[in-house]
Amino acid sequence: MYDVNKGYEVAKEFYAQYGIDVDEAIKICNETPISMHCWQGDDVIGFEKKEGGLTGGIQTTGNYPGKARTPEELRADMEMAMKFIPGVKKVNLHANYLEADTFVDRNEIEPKHFEKWADWAVEKGIGLDFNPTYFSHPKSEVATLSSADEDIRKFWIEHGIRCRRIGDYFAKRTGKPCVINHWTPDGDKEFPVDTISPRLRMKDSYDQIFEATKDVTGVIDGIESKVFGIGAESYTVGSHEFCMGYVMSKGIDHIIMTLDTGHYHPTEVVSAKLGAVYAFSDNVLLHVSRPVRWDSDHVVNFDDETRAIMEELVRLGKLDKTYIATDFFDASINRVVAWVNGLRNVRKAILAALLQPVAMMKDLEAKGDNSSRLAVTQEFKAAPFNLVWDYYCAKENAGVGLEWLEEVKEYEKNVQSKRG
Ligand code: RNT
Ligand code: ZN
């Protein structure tokens, strides 16, 4: 191992030339919560103890051995991953990760079914986020909150209501706000003739969910849009315009937009949307993912777009207003390795973004010196942020460089590979 302190001293000197305080950047980076999604650990299956796999236009591919089969295994795997993810973390649960002795349907879930998760979070001092599971269920095959079948629509409204109550329970138990994300797979393989009625029903369903739970505090609700899904290629009820329209027209603080980085046309990027959304909203929920040609939910890379998103948040001064959550599910590699990679990349992108000379660039822009603006942004793409990153990881005891990989491989050998 090289001398990380020496590297840090060099980087500190480099950044000081541009008036950047490396320690301040580390501090802000470290205190920015990242919500770690539980569903990477078992390919979005959950613990309802029912037959049937993942549905709803999303897919996991791969059959890598060792996935978590029980809540205990999932928590152990998450703990292993969290060791190597520096900074403040939350855990993001889906409703189908409940714990009960007998089958409990989605319209019957209660806080008690998530008590062990809450105990665990309290013990670890972390916050919990939550998601209604409006998919992978016999009643979600045609539509959920937009269903023309009133019994089915009621069923899913009740699910949404119960999820907000569970979110309230999480907020009270952990003392930290619970961010709930609402995503429905409702859509059509072909272009429907009537494109508005499903949307009016979905709008009414959300209204009913929020009205029935207006006493709930400490919960923030993201409404997540999507351009298409497998089997819903031509039409999605919860399109970008629908979700943005719903959030903006409600004008209620706790109802915000969720922007998933995989949910747009491949040439559209979330980094380019944030400045417009923040012109009208105080908060945004981000689902950081990686689309490869489509919403493929690959492990987040330290790529241009992930960096651009974090840079944009820093430049907008909205890093502390944005709820950052991860959302990917790769079943073709070790799932703990997937988590560690994806979340370290998000954290690293935050740090790299904080090590940019924002004041200097804004000043050049204000003066109309776009030539210098271009030169500065380009120069900083390869600035020595990795020296700061290594120092930060060492300081947080989260493994410098690839140090973590060996321990995760040991865990795979001794624990995960022994699972049937
Ligand atoms: C699906 C959405 C949604 C899910 C999770 C499991 O396209 O991105 O957020 O990935 O709820
Ligand atoms: Zn998502």
Side-chain angles (χ1 to χ4, degrees), residues 249-262:
S249 68
K250 290 305 272 187
I252 296 175
D253 276 356
H254 72 83
I255 303 176
I256 65 174
M257 287 179 73
T258 303
L259 303 182
D260 182 306
T261 59

Side-chain angles (χ1 to χ4, degrees), residues 141-404:
E141 263 151 38
V142 180
T144 64
L145 294 179
S146 74
S147 180
D149 178 326
E150 275 304 297
D151 288 338
I152 288 188
R153 192 163 77 93
K154 266 205 199 91
F155 175 88
W156 291 110
I157 291 171
E158 185 60 29
H159 180 57
I161 289 171
R162 288 184 177 248
C163 285
R164 292 201 84 239
R165 300 232 169 268
I166 291 161
D168 198 31
Y169 164 74
F170 284 164
K172 293 204 165 95
R173 285 290 313 272
T174 62
K176 296 175 171 73
C178 173
V179 181
I180 295 186
N181 180 59
H182 301 261
W183 174 73
T184 58
D186 301 19
D188 203 314
K189 190 175 178 71
E190 295 296 346
F191 294 100
V193 177
D194 177 5
T195 59
I196 189 167
S197 298
R199 286 173 173 142
L200 294 175
R201 288 192 292 268
M202 184 173 282
K203 176 172 178 277
D204 177 72
S205 298
Y206 279 131
D207 283 350
Q208 287 194 44
I209 291 169
F210 293 127
E211 180 60 29
T213 52
K214 55 176 188 242
D215 56 308
V216 161
T217 51
V219 172
I220 293 114
D221 297 86
I223 311 288
E224 184 180 25
S225 70
K226 186 162 168 169
V227 68
F228 89 112
I230 298 294
E233 291 85 355
S234 306
Y235 172 81
T236 55
V237 182
S239 61
H240 179 69
E241 291 74 10
F242 173 86
C243 295
M244 185 153 180
Y246 186 79
V247 169
M248 299 305 174
S249 68
K250 290 305 272 187
I252 296 175
D253 276 356
H254 72 83
I255 303 176
I256 65 174
M257 287 179 73
T258 303
L259 303 182
D260 182 306
T261 59
H263 284 197
Y264 298 89
H265 186 278
T267 62
E268 276 184 272
V269 282
V270 165
S271 55
K273 298 180 185 298
L274 291 162
V277 173
Y278 270 119
F280 298 94
S281 243
D282 293 333
N283 303 95
V284 165
L285 169 56
L286 266 190
H287 267 193
V288 191
S289 187
R290 179 164 55 105
V292 176
R293 307 191 200 289
W294 71 291
D295 179 42
S296 58
D297 294 287
H298 278 64
V299 176
V300 172
N301 274 13
F302 185 65
D303 55 15
D304 285 352
E305 173 56 8
T306 309
R307 293 186 64 180
I309 287 171
M310 300 311 163
E311 283 170 13
E312 183 64 1
L313 291 178
V314 170
R315 292 170 186 179
L316 290 168
K318 298 291 184 190
L319 189 61
D320 62 341
K321 301 283 177 201
T322 308
Y323 302 102
I324 301 173
T326 46
D327 181 15
F328 52 82
F329 21 100
D330 190 337
S332 75
I333 56 172
N334 179 292
R335 294 165 184 82
V336 173
V337 173
W339 263 320
V340 175
N341 260 298
L343 276 94
R344 275 174 85 100
N345 283 335
V346 174
R347 184 67 78 201
K348 197 193 279 184
I350 295 172
L351 182 65
L354 288 162
L355 292 170
Q356 300 259 325
V358 178
M360 181 187 184
M361 293 189 290
K362 280 193 176 160
D363 191 45
L364 291 169
E365 187 167 84
K367 283 190 198 129
D369 186 357
N370 293 352
S371 325
S372 304
R373 178 184 65 180
L374 180 67
V376 174
T377 55
Q378 295 314 297
E379 183 59 26
F380 265 78
K381 282 200 186 291
F385 58 83
N386 207 56
L387 297 175
V388 184
W389 169 251
D390 281 354
Y391 167 81
Y392 166 56
C393 288
K395 197 164 154 264
E396 292 303 313
N397 209 9
V400 175
L402 286 171
E403 272 177 354
W404 59 273

